Amino acid sequence: MSIAVAPFRPFKITRAFVAVYALTILSCWLVNVFVTAYPIGPWRGGEISKSFWLDNVSWQIFAAWWACLFAVCGLWPFSGIRDRFVRGVVVTAVAWALGWLSAKLIIVVGPGASGIFPLVGTTWFFLALFCFAGANWLVAGMPPSRQFCLLLLLITGCTFLVTHSAVVWVPAWWFPFLLIGLSTGTLTYLTRGMSQPGRAFAIIAILFAIVAACVEVSILTGFWTPEASPISAFWSMGHFTPDNRWLVCFMVATSINYAMPIITYNWPFTKIAMPWGGLLACAFYLALDVVVASILLKMVGPVFPDTETLLTYAYMGVNWSLVLPLVFGVGFDEPYLWRGQKTQGGWDDVA
């Protein structure tokens, strides 16, 4: 069967768009109701209204982390469930349960609320290094069960070492750029021909370089302050400003930069050969991130009662942006090629 080049699938695009963002809105509302009534953190009384968003974010992002770990290990131990939808529901339910447990353990036996972002950022960094960018290079060829157990132990151990050192954490500012680079295939194209683990380290280096440029632009435009981050003095890049405009944009980007390219099958950018098609797609979605974030910030008051509530809705999309494609197969149900691509999903056979 021939694989379509640059397809336009309007019905599937619309259906997937509605699914991702309807689930985002519904689940965010439900989670906010739950964590307001039953806080994960040690919040009491008036503290809840200011900190419930942190419970929401930590719960859902750890849930997404568990779902992604299952996904990169062949959805073990749920791979025996043949019906894709049923399997997806089971994986999602288990991931949300483990996500709540992970967030709660940080509060009860871990470093507390101050340790949430270091643990979130660092666990996602190692998942990205070993799995997303690294294609499971350390455990390649092993059965899914061994992959899962070894990756879990490896990421846990590496995270412990980083969070108990002077480094403290690996900031997640690279994450939206990883999502857009992988979902469009641009990072895969730019590192074509490289073997692992060289490709993984090259991708991470590219992401860090982009973050450095983004930070400098953000300083010039007043969305970032050069003062040291309150989390770790090791990272001298500074921190986002107290108005949270940069943080809102970051969270919006994580909710858009994987879902939108995947569920649209990268149309219409697939009509343009790499690298220009991929770079144009990246530029388009990064600009869309800024536009959507700007619109949402204007909705604080008329729609969202406060910035804390906006932060939860802006970030909830990252969960469904990853879960629906990687667990349920949305956007991966039909193969397609970019113009000039020979093998679906890969570029190593292109000069």
Side-chain angles (χ1 to χ4, degrees), residues 163-189:
T163 55
H164 286 73
S165 71
V167 178
V168 180
W169 73 322
V170 182
W173 313 135
W174 48 269
F175 195 46
F177 303 107
L178 173 72
L179 295 180
I180 194 66
L182 293 181
S183 61
T184 62
T186 307
L187 284 172
T188 307
Y189 177 83

Side-chain angles (χ1 to χ4, degrees), residues 5 11 18 23 30 137 140 179 215 236 271 273 278 287 290 301 308 347:
V5 176
F11 174 73
V18 171
L23 284 169
L30 289 172
W137 57 276
L179 295 180
V215 165
S236 58
K271 293 180 174 292
V290 175
E308 287 78 16
W347 290 98

Side-chain angles (χ1 to χ4, degrees), residues 111 114-123 125-126 158-172 229-235:
S114 62
I116 289 175
F117 280 127
L119 288 168
V120 167
T122 308
T123 53
F125 171 76
F126 285 116
C158 289
T159 299
F160 179 86
L161 290 175
V162 170
T163 55
H164 286 73
S165 71
V167 178
V168 180
W169 73 322
V170 182
S229 165
I231 296 179
S232 170
F234 177 87
W235 302 95

